[in-house]
Amino acid sequence: MAVNQRTPAPGAVSLPARTHAGRITGGGTSGNERLTAVTGGALLLPLAVIGVTLLQLRQLLSVHLFVGMLLIGPVALKLGSTGYRFVRYYSGNPAYRREGPPATPLRLIAPIVVLSTVVVLVTGVALLFAGPSSKNTLLPIHKVSFIVWAAFTGLHVLAYLPRLPRAFRADYGRAAQLSGDITGRTGRILSLAGAIAAGVVLAVLVIPEFGPWIHNSGVFDHHHG
Ligand code: HEM
């Protein structure tokens, strides 16, 4: 009897779900959607921490700088997975064409979400390396881009939050274990873990740059000119 991929060898445990999971890549459009959604979910906690630091920036500046740098990892993965869908869609890939574009309002705000994210992060990194002397030039751009970012990404998150449980269940729920197609799940887990680890390493590497800002955190007191 010929044994092929589909026919388990005599006595072998047939683990279709697990063999798929072992494959690093794959999963097609639903794999991409799950990676994007789960990465979005992973962004919620660090974004919330950044929000809290803004309430007490003078005291929490080092947390703001550290978590701001850490965010670069998962944000890069988020832009990567959504950018991949974008390129496959516009290059006419049948599966992504069938999946269709995001809902029109979300499609319209997506460029603003991406651009404001990039400007907030780039001006944040520039501020860190340029030091407190750049507060009159870069800080206003950082603040204005943050306000734009918060408004549009807030809409983005409100729209997509309800999708998160389904994306998590599709890869990590009980049904997924038993019968669901979790092709590429290992790759998605490794990508997200790798992106977060890269963010942490980046944040640790730049801690020496925090000094000038921590010692000058008085710059955030409103009565300073
Ligand atoms: C820095 C913050 C973020 C950026 C730059 C970003 C960017 C994007 C972009 C460009 C898209 C594709 C366009 C679209 O479908 O609208 C997208 C899709 C999506 N985002 Fe975000 N996002 C961010 C945060 C979040 C957060 C916090 C969540 C969690 C609720 C989230 C959940 C999603 C979901 C579920 C999709 C649709 C995935 C799909 O159907 O393929 N995003 N994001």
Side-chain angles (χ1 to χ4, degrees):
M1 185 172 75
V3 175
N4 61 28
Q5 253 201 2
R6 296 260 167 263
T7 324
V13 180
S14 73
L15 299 165
R18 283 227 175 83
T19 45
H20 281 208
R23 270 170 50 201
I24 295 287
T25 58
T29 57
S30 75
N32 173 269
E33 182 183 345
R34 290 176 209 177
L35 178 62
T36 299
V38 171
T39 306
L43 284 169
L44 290 173
L45 180 62
L47 290 176
V49 171
I50 289 281
V52 170
T53 64
L54 297 179
L55 305 173
Q56 299 262 338
L57 198 51
R58 182 169 177 162
Q59 292 82 354
L60 299 174
L61 186 57
S62 53
V63 178
H64 183 88
L65 298 173
F66 189 91
V67 178
M69 291 305 293
L70 184 162
L71 267 172
I72 295 175
V75 166
L77 178 61
K78 180 88 203 256
L79 296 180
S81 65
T82 54
Y84 179 82
R85 175 186 174 186
F86 182 88
V87 170
R88 298 302 299 237
Y89 177 83
Y90 283 103
S91 58
N93 172 277
Y96 281 89
R97 279 283 169 178
R98 256 194 319 280
E99 191 68 23
T104 305
L106 294 166
R107 195 177 182 186
L108 291 174
I109 68 168
I112 306 170
V113 172
V114 172
L115 196 61
S116 60
T117 299
V118 171
V119 175
V120 165
L121 292 175
V122 168
T123 52
V125 173
L127 275 164
L128 179 63
F129 286 95
S133 60
S134 66
K135 80 174 170 51
N136 292 330
T137 49
L138 290 171
L139 193 53
I141 307 172
H142 189 61
K143 285 182 178 175
V144 170
S145 60
F146 170 75
I147 293 165
V148 174
W149 177 86
F152 287 92
T153 307
L155 293 175
H156 178 88
V157 172
L158 284 179
Y160 280 126
L161 212 50
R163 281 227 203 146
L164 257 59
R166 191 189 68 188
F168 274 97
R169 271 200 307 273
D171 261 349
Y172 309 103
R174 259 186 70 68
Q177 315 297 341
L178 300 173
S179 59
D181 177 1
I182 47 178
T183 306
R185 184 180 67 176
T186 309
R188 292 189 282 280
I189 294 170
L190 290 176
S191 313
L192 184 54
I196 293 170
V200 171
V201 169
L202 189 64
V204 169
L205 286 176
V206 299
I207 288 176
E209 306 294 330
F210 292 6
W213 280 105
I214 304 299
H215 300 124
N216 277 275
S217 60
V219 293
F220 296 102
D221 292 349
H222 296 302
H223 59 268
H224 275 269

